[in-house]
Amino acid sequence: MVPHPRSASTTPLPAGRRTALDLDGHPPRVVLDNTVVLSALVFGGPMATRLRRAWRNGFCRPMVCRDTLLDLTRQLGQAPLTFSVAEQQQMLGEYLPYVLKVRVPLAAAPGQIEPGGLAFVKLGMAGKAHVLVTSDPALLAMQARLPFEVMAQEPFLNLLRASAIDPAPLRRATRHPP
């Protein structure tokens, strides 16, 4: 039994389910829904600062896929945010160097609309996530049905603070001489 980060009680996890605490010091692979990422990049505040430090310093490894990245870029360009292309690139530059890019198999036909949040669940499944961090009540309610934890931002940051994680250095591409 593992203590659940959102409550003081202990609850058994479904068979085969990993927990963000079972990492042997390795940073968790994390799906951050775009609301959480936008909040961290645009609005700031203490939690946003803690989250940005966590991904920059290798205490967690956020994951993105094609669909989630396209949606994040679209949201940065939409009202009420409506950032210029240069501003969007600057914000994405503060996030994308630290993410793991995951290839998610296409399940929906092009142009078909999927339920909100499904792209993050598919990303978590394909990338073998330890945690999905969200503020979406529908995703939070799926906690028991997924093979990874689903939690709000503050419990996730508290979990990181309480875990003994050896930060993973950013992998830089090495240049080979011609």
Side-chain angles (χ1 to χ4, degrees), residues 73 76-78 81-92:
T73 305
L76 284 169
Q78 271 186 332
L81 300 177
T82 320
F83 290 107
S84 70
V85 172
E87 291 168 324
Q88 290 175 39
Q89 289 175 344
Q90 180 181 2
M91 281 185 251
L92 291 172

Side-chain angles (χ1 to χ4, degrees), residues 16-143:
R17 181 159 170 179
R18 290 182 313 279
T19 163
L21 300 174
D22 297 337
L23 301 173
D24 297 325
H26 295 93
R29 287 185 305 279
V30 180
V31 174
L32 302 173
D33 88 11
N34 286 343
T35 304
V36 172
V37 175
L38 285 170
S39 177
L41 293 175
V42 176
F43 302 113
M47 275 202 306
T49 300
R50 286 175 56 201
L51 183 59
R52 285 193 315 269
R53 281 187 190 142
W55 77 52
R56 284 181 187 152
N57 294 320
F59 286 95
C60 67
R61 295 302 309 262
M63 298 186 296
V64 296
C65 66
R66 181 182 173 275
D67 288 346
T68 60
L69 181 56
L70 288 172
D71 184 57
L72 178 61
T73 305
R74 180 187 57 76
Q75 288 183 37
L76 284 169
Q78 271 186 332
L81 300 177
T82 320
F83 290 107
S84 70
V85 172
E87 291 168 324
Q88 290 175 39
Q89 289 175 344
Q90 180 181 2
M91 281 185 251
L92 291 172
E94 293 179 29
Y95 180 58
L96 294 181
Y98 306 98
V99 303
L100 295 171
K101 293 160 185 86
V102 175
R103 190 171 295 196
V104 175
L106 295 175
Q112 183 179 5
I113 297 176
E114 294 182 333
L118 184 58
F120 300 106
V121 171
K122 288 168 47 175
L123 171 58
M125 301 286 274
K128 298 182 178 156
H130 296 102
V131 181
L132 188 158
V133 181
T134 186
S135 58
D136 182 342
L139 286 174
L140 289 167
M142 295 179 71
Q143 167 70 31

Side-chain angles (χ1 to χ4, degrees), residues 151-170:
M151 62 180 67
Q153 183 176 352
E154 187 171 10
F156 171 68
L157 291 170
N158 292 338
L159 178 72
L160 283 182
R161 181 183 292 158
S163 298
I165 296 173
D166 294 323
L170 180 63

